[in-house]
């Protein structure tokens, strides 16, 4: 008999189709106007050969090979669950007693599951917090530098993660959308916490019908879908700040700046203006100055600036723009340009950093919280910016400077990861692995044999979302979705909550961890907390039993448009920003006071170490951009059929302009070696006339498959540089990366990472093999 079970993922809501206890397919959520193809990968991925069937322990770890040991995927011994639980609990106790709470790194990162109860990071951090504390991470890889900067400049991160001025306001009032990084469709396939409705494409089509003009400033034409009829401005990567400063200069020379807004709503214009004109450093930031830096003709730069001043304009930048050395600068410069135009807080105008970065950004919605687990305090814990993991592991006892603070780095003895995959998100993977191996013990909870699991000491098989009950919820989506368990757990997989509860029992705090609730009780509890919060905000939602039976709750769309900073624009005295001055800080005394020479007190042009204008380009003449693919979410679903169909001979595609390929005697479909001083990776070549010459691009997320010092699968983070954007933001700089590409000679090694490692068969302490 066929059954349909409501479910959800970051890439969309769906019904799981079950026959005889087996997941055989999915069908899109009936209320989704534009469901993506990613949901079709779910059955194959859930039932993948790469699933971890039972707990495993590295044989070398059992023999006492701990700190400094090489980790790999051919040294695992299967063990029973009771032994695995005991080993982890006892090791946690030993590490805490010998080295202190901060020596445990709870490195879980987001995107583990749309489910709010079984969210792996939340569960692990709850366990480690109640157990005494741990070292953790703040900010994120997506927009870490920007989210540190914006509170200093605009007093909020809403301009980054929402709510931003909604599409309804743009449809009525915007005439030009100026998009640094474009408005790529691929990013809007996903919503953190789960999507009930993909509304990005329908809204964009409404803006086109309303006559909005789109300008795509990007090295890739494909960063704007064809139906936008966008004007393409192919810029050199990492030079957006120079472009924006030159545009501000053009406005100044024409007297088109909004002097009233700059005076009433901003501070620091008197410090930024002399820099733009060259009065403070002797270099006027003219379009002629910017042209050789950006590759955009001076006349085009000047016309772009005047076009924005001549019509109601929304200025936007994708999150990826700040994932570069000095990545704070283009975002700050874009705020300055928007302030000169005077549109911040006006309907359909201003600045945003979210459009095109994730589904739900700009969608009209009631501003309600999402369903979530109650937070647990991390007593005495230390938090580092997430992109500085390698430094944390490499430099115990040293100081990490971040956002005006000096953070003492503890000596990490135990790494514990549940949810996320550092060997996907992080840069310079060979360096990360050397630092990773410094730990004494590495525990990974994971459904699949990812690179993180393969480089662990203790591997605990976790259930997928289809094997448990949960609730999907996002503040960026109007639907809250019930996630009914569809199939029984495969192999010996267990829920994160259940395995951690058993460990908490060994350590004496099971009742504090579970609060005497099982899965069903927790789901009811967190839903009712959310329902009460909605009630306090004037929104009535059904009780849990009705929600669970019907499978979803839909929050009605608002009746009025939302315009970010509207109150501030109307009266900056009565509605000040949460900045020291209460105004937009074009010059920040706070940031200048940190004394970080690489950032300064106002936006400015600084050359990255790796871009096409750097001396290193003589050795590595191609700028590599790494982007979120349309065929998976980060590394999730890489072992499924949708991702596999996009690959070339099993490798991740590398986009290259035909002129660059011809200069290297390369042809479409070739297997190529992409390399620099940090590493090398194989990729399949795909020619694309819509990429700027001198630039190549490869999607992130192909599971790392190192063989003899060569990644054979196409993971760009083998090549990217692991350096902070600045000491202010300490974000990742993945987009500042130079490489060379050449034909790979000889037979290409097979990709093996989607098959499980071969376990050893030998006796282990305390149990049979």
């Amino acid at each position: 008999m066929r059954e349909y079970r409501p479910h959800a993922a970051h890439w969309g809501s769906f019904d799981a189709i079950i026959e005889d206890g087996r997941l055989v397919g999915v069908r899109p959520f009936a209320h989704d106007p534009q469901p993506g193809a990613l949901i079709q990968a779910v059955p194959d991925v859930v039932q993948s050969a790469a699933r971890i069937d039972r707990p495993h322990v590295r044989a070398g770890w059992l023999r006492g090979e701990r700190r400094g040991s090489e980790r790999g995927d051919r040294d695992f011994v299967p063990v029973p669950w009771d032994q695995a639980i005991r080993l982890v609990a006892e090791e946690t106790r030993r590490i805490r007693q010998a080295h202190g709470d901060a020596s445990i790194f709870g490195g879980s990162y987001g995107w583990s599951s749309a489910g709010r109860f079984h969210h792996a990071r939340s569960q692990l951090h709850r366990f480690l917090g109640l157990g005494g504390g741990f070292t953790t991470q703040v900010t994120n890889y997506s927009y870490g530098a920007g989210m540190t900067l914006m509170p200093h400049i605009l007093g909020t991160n809403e301009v980054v993660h929402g709510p931003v001025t909604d599409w309804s306001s743009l449809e009525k009032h915007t005439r030009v959308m100026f998009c640094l990084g474009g408005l790529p469709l691929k990013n809007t396939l996903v919503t953190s916490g789960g999507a009930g409705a993909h509304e990005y494409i329908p809204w964009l089509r409404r803006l086109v019908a309303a006559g909005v003009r789109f300008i795509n400033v990007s090295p890739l034409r494909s960063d704007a879908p064809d139906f936008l009829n966008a004007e393409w401005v192919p810029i050199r990567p990492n030079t957006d700040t120079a472009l924006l400063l030159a545009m501000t200069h053009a406005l100044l020379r024409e007297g088109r700046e909004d002097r009233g807004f700059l005076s009433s709503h901003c501070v620091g214009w008197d410090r930024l203006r002399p820099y733009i004109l060259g009065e403070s450093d002797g270099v006027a930031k003219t379009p002629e100055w910017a042209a050789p830096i950006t590759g955009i003709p001076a006349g085009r730069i000047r016309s772009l600036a005047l076009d924005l001043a001549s019509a109601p304009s929304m200025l936007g930048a994708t999150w990826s723009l700040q994932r570069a050395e000095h990545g704070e600068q283009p975002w700050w410069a874009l705020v300055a340009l928007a302030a000169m135009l005077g549109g911040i807080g006006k309907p359909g105008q201003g600045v945003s950093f979210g459009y095109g970065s994730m589904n739900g950004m700009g969608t009209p919605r009631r501003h309600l919280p999402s369903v979530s687990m109650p937070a647990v305090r991390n007593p005495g814990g230390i938090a580092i910016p997430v992109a500085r993991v390698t430094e944390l592991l490499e430099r115990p006892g040293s100081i990490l400077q971040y956002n005006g603070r000096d953070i003492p780095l503890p000596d990490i003895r135990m790494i514990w990861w549940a949810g996320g995959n550092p060997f996907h998100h992080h840069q310079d993977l060979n360096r990360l692995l050397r630092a990773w191996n410094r730990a004494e013990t590495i525990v990974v909870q994971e459904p699949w044999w990812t690179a993180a699991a393969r480089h662990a000491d203790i591997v605990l098989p976790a259930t997928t979302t289809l094997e448990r009950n949960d609730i999907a919820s996002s503040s960026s989506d109007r639907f809250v979705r019930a996630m009914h368990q569809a199939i029984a757990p495969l192999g010996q997989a267990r829920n994160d909550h259940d395995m951690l509860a058993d460990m908490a029992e060994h350590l004496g705090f099971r009742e504090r961890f579970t609060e005497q609730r099982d899965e069903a009780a927790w789901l009811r509890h967190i839903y009712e907390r959310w329902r009460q919060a909605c009630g306090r905000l004037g929104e009535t939602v059904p009780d849990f039993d009705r929600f669970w039976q019907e499978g979803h709750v839909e929050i009605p769309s608002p009746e009025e448009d939302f315009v970010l900073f509207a109150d501030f624009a109307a009266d900056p005295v009565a509605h000040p920003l949460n900045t020291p001055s209460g105004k937009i800080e074009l010059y920040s005394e706070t940031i200048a006071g940190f004394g970080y020479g690489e950032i300064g007190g106002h936006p400015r042009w600084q050359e990255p170490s790796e871009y096409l204008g750097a001396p290193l380009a003589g050795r590595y003449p191609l700028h590599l951009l790494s982007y979120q693919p349309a065929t998976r979410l980060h590394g999730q679903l890489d072992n499924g059929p949708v991702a596999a169909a996009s690959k070339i001979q099993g490798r991740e595609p590398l986009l290259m302009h035909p002129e660059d390929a011809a200069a290297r005697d390369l042809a479409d479909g070739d297997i190529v070696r992409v390399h620099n001083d940090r590493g090398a990776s194989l990729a399949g070549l795909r020619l694309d006339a819509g990429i700027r010459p001198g630039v190549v691009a490869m999607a992130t997320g192909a599971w790392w498959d190192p063989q003899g010092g060569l990644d054979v699968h196409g993971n760009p983070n083998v090549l990217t540089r692991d350096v902070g954007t600045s000491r202010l933001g300490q974000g990742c700089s993945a987009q500042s990366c130079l490489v060379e590409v050449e034909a790979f000679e000889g037979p290409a090694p097979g990709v093996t990472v989607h098959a499980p490692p071969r376990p050893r068969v030998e006796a282990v302490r305390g149990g049979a093999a």
Side-chain angles (χ1 to χ4, degrees):
M1 186 179 74
R2 175 165 287 199
E3 299 178 73
Y4 298 89
R5 308 275 175 82
H7 214 75
H10 296 301
W11 44 88
S13 292
F14 58 92
D15 293 328
I17 304 173
I18 310 301
E19 290 183 358
D20 299 324
R22 182 173 174 81
L23 178 64
V24 297
V26 298
R27 69 179 182 187
F29 181 44
H31 298 276
D32 192 340
Q34 198 84 34
L38 292 180
I39 60 173
Q40 301 303 326
V42 169
D44 291 89
V45 168
V46 168
Q47 293 154 164
S48 163
R51 287 293 300 269
I52 303 169
D53 63 340
R54 48 186 166 165
H56 288 78
V57 181
R58 188 169 62 86
W61 187 88
L62 290 170
R63 292 192 297 267
E65 299 170 9
R66 305 292 175 91
R67 192 160 219 187
S69 297
E70 294 292 327
R71 271 81 177 187
D73 65 356
R74 294 288 186 263
D75 192 30
F76 288 107
V77 179
V79 299
W81 261 111
D82 59 350
Q83 183 186 1
I85 293 292
R86 177 174 53 81
L87 285 173
V88 176
E90 291 177 354
E91 183 67 357
T92 304
R93 179 187 287 116
R94 183 190 73 81
I95 293 286
R96 287 194 191 279
Q97 292 175 348
H99 305 290
D101 297 323
S103 67
I104 298 176
F105 180 43
S108 300
Y109 184 64
W111 294 107
S112 58
S113 167
R116 297 298 86 192
F117 170 60
H118 287 296
H119 186 248
R121 173 185 171 94
S122 300
Q123 291 290 341
L124 178 60
H125 285 189
R126 179 181 180 82
F127 171 85
L128 292 175
L130 291 173
F134 60 105
T135 295
T136 186
Q137 302 153 307
V138 294
T139 72
N140 59 37
Y141 286 99
S142 295
Y143 49 83
M147 73 185 295
T148 305
L149 173 70
M150 281 302 125
H152 292 291
I153 309 308
L154 291 172
T156 180
N157 268 320
E158 288 186 354
V159 70
V160 180
H161 57 59
V164 296
T165 298
D166 61 31
W167 296 120
S168 180
S169 179
L170 269 60
E171 180 186 23
K172 296 170 186 172
H173 302 285
T174 306
R175 298 279 61 85
V176 180
M177 282 200 74
F178 178 77
C179 306
L180 297 176
L183 291 166
L185 297 186
K186 57 186 175 54
N187 295 342
T188 63
L189 297 172
V190 299
T191 307
S192 180
H198 292 90
E199 297 179 288
Y200 180 73
I201 292 176
W203 272 110
L204 280 185
R205 291 191 182 278
R206 289 177 63 169
L207 265 63
V208 172
V212 176
R213 172 188 171 195
F214 295 87
I215 301 172
N216 170 30
V217 183
S218 169
L220 287 88
R221 184 193 297 272
S222 60
D223 275 342
D226 291 342
F227 68 81
L228 292 184
N229 300 312
E231 301 165 38
W232 182 33
V233 182
I235 191 172
R236 282 171 121 184
N238 289 190
T239 67
D240 302 85
T241 303
L243 168 67
L244 296 169
L245 292 172
M247 292 173 68
T248 62
H249 189 282
L251 293 178
L252 275 173
R253 281 303 182 203
E254 295 291 331
R256 301 296 294 273
E257 74 275 22
D258 189 327
R259 297 176 186 176
F261 188 87
L262 290 169
S263 174
S264 60
H265 290 72
C266 305
V267 295
W269 177 238
D270 58 330
R271 307 288 291 272
L272 178 58
R273 184 178 184 275
Y275 173 75
I276 294 169
L277 294 176
E279 298 169 356
S280 60
D281 66 351
V283 180
K285 310 309 178 293
T286 65
E288 288 74 19
W289 162 82
I293 297 173
T294 63
I296 304 171
R300 185 75 177 104
I301 294 174
R302 189 170 286 108
S303 68
L304 285 172
L306 297 178
D307 287 351
L308 297 183
S310 301
S313 301
M314 174 59 74
L315 280 55
T318 55
W319 293 343
S320 61
L321 203 72
Q322 52 81 73
R323 294 198 291 270
E325 191 175 4
H326 312 305
E328 298 88 353
Q329 300 293 351
W331 277 27
W332 201 349
L334 191 67
V335 171
L337 180 58
M340 288 186 71
L341 296 171
I344 296 176
K346 294 181 180 179
Q349 300 183 55
V351 65
S352 169
F353 302 97
Y355 303 121
S357 290
M358 189 171 66
N359 182 56
M361 298 293 289
T363 301
R365 67 182 189 275
R366 291 289 309 278
H367 299 152
L368 300 173
S370 59
V371 179
S372 63
M373 284 286 288
V376 170
R377 190 174 68 92
N378 181 12
I382 295 172
I384 63 154
V386 65
R388 304 274 57 82
V389 169
T390 297
E391 290 183 47
L392 168 71
L393 301 174
E394 283 179 338
R395 302 197 292 117
S398 62
I399 297 295
L400 176 71
Q401 292 185 300
Y402 166 63
N403 197 23
R405 304 197 306 272
D406 289 349
I407 303 173
L409 299 180
D411 188 0
I412 298 299
R413 300 297 181 116
M414 184 178 194
I415 300 171
W416 197 331
W417 218 281
N421 179 359
F423 292 98
H424 157 70
H425 278 104
H426 207 71
Q427 286 63 64
D428 196 349
L429 295 183
N430 292 311
R431 178 184 168 198
L432 172 63
L433 181 59
R434 292 190 294 270
W436 181 265
N437 285 337
R438 287 178 50 84
E440 293 182 27
T441 299
I442 300 168
V443 179
V444 170
Q445 298 166 214
E446 174 65 65
W448 299 278
W449 282 108
T450 63
R454 291 168 188 267
H455 291 89
D457 297 314
I458 302 174
V459 183
L460 306 176
T463 52
T464 66
T465 64
L466 277 297
E467 297 156 290
R468 59 203 188 206
N469 295 296
D470 216 324
I471 300 170
S473 176
S474 170
S475 59
S476 299
D477 193 85
R478 69 177 189 272
F479 289 94
V480 175
R481 179 74 162 158
M483 300 170 63
H484 290 194
Q485 181 175 340
I487 58 174
L490 299 185
Q492 296 181 22
R494 299 186 67 196
N495 298 338
D496 296 292
H497 178 80
D498 295 343
M499 64 176 86
L500 291 170
D502 286 351
M503 293 175 205
E505 183 169 355
H506 274 269
L507 297 171
F509 61 94
R510 183 186 186 100
E511 289 196 0
R512 284 194 295 134
F513 178 75
T514 65
E515 296 186 12
Q516 297 182 309
R517 295 188 182 98
D518 60 9
E519 176 189 76
W522 269 114
L523 294 181
R524 186 178 295 273
H525 175 67
I526 63 176
Y527 180 89
E528 290 299 337
R529 288 177 71 242
W530 172 74
R531 181 170 174 250
Q532 292 169 15
C534 290
R536 290 192 290 271
L537 294 172
E539 187 68 43
T540 301
V541 298
D543 63 20
F544 178 81
D545 290 327
R546 180 181 167 189
F547 156 70
W548 197 252
Q549 180 181 5
E550 295 182 353
H552 71 272
V553 169
E554 180 178 2
I555 304 298
S557 296
E559 296 180 359
E560 298 182 355
D561 297 344
F562 175 75
V563 178
L564 184 62
F565 301 123
D567 290 342
F568 167 72
D571 191 337
V573 176
H575 302 283
L577 301 179
N578 189 29
T579 60
S581 64
K583 299 182 179 182
I584 300 166
E585 304 229 337
L586 303 181
Y587 185 95
S588 170
E589 296 284 359
T590 301
I591 293 175
F594 294 157
Y596 301 151
E598 72 275 17
I599 189 164
H602 60 67
R604 67 189 190 190
W605 164 247
Q606 291 178 271
E607 285 194 313
S609 302
E610 294 194 29
Y611 86 118
L612 292 175
L616 188 63
R619 290 179 57 208
Y620 296 112
L622 296 171
H623 194 124
L624 173 68
L625 297 177
S626 45
Y627 60 91
Q628 168 64 28
T631 58
R632 57 181 172 259
L633 169 57
H634 299 300
Q636 295 184 58
L637 308 179
D638 185 58
N639 55 330
V642 177
S646 73
K647 298 187 181 184
I648 298 172
Q649 298 184 47
R651 331 281 165 170
E652 196 62 29
L654 177 82
L655 305 183
M656 177 183 279
H657 193 278
E659 293 177 6
D660 292 322
R664 292 162 176 79
D665 197 24
L666 299 172
D668 193 77
D670 284 352
I671 299 301
V672 295
R673 178 176 175 265
V674 192
H675 64 97
N676 59 20
D677 290 339
R678 289 179 289 273
S681 180
L682 299 186
L685 189 63
R686 180 166 294 157
L687 301 187
D688 187 348
I691 189 170
R692 192 185 192 280
V695 180
V696 292
M698 184 159 57
T700 63
W703 289 6
W704 187 38
D705 195 352
Q707 298 182 27
L710 174 71
D711 171 53
V712 304
H713 196 198
N715 188 320
N717 280 329
V718 172
L719 305 156
T720 51
R721 184 173 176 224
D722 186 7
V723 61
T725 52
S726 76
R727 283 174 288 176
L728 175 75
Q730 290 287 12
C732 83
S733 297
Q735 306 294 16
S736 298
C737 179
L738 294 177
V739 300
E740 181 55 290
V741 176
E742 62 189 12
F744 182 75
E745 302 295 339
V751 175
T752 63
V753 72
H754 291 149
R758 294 190 299 270
R760 294 167 61 101
V761 180
E762 61 180 52
V764 295
R765 293 178 296 179

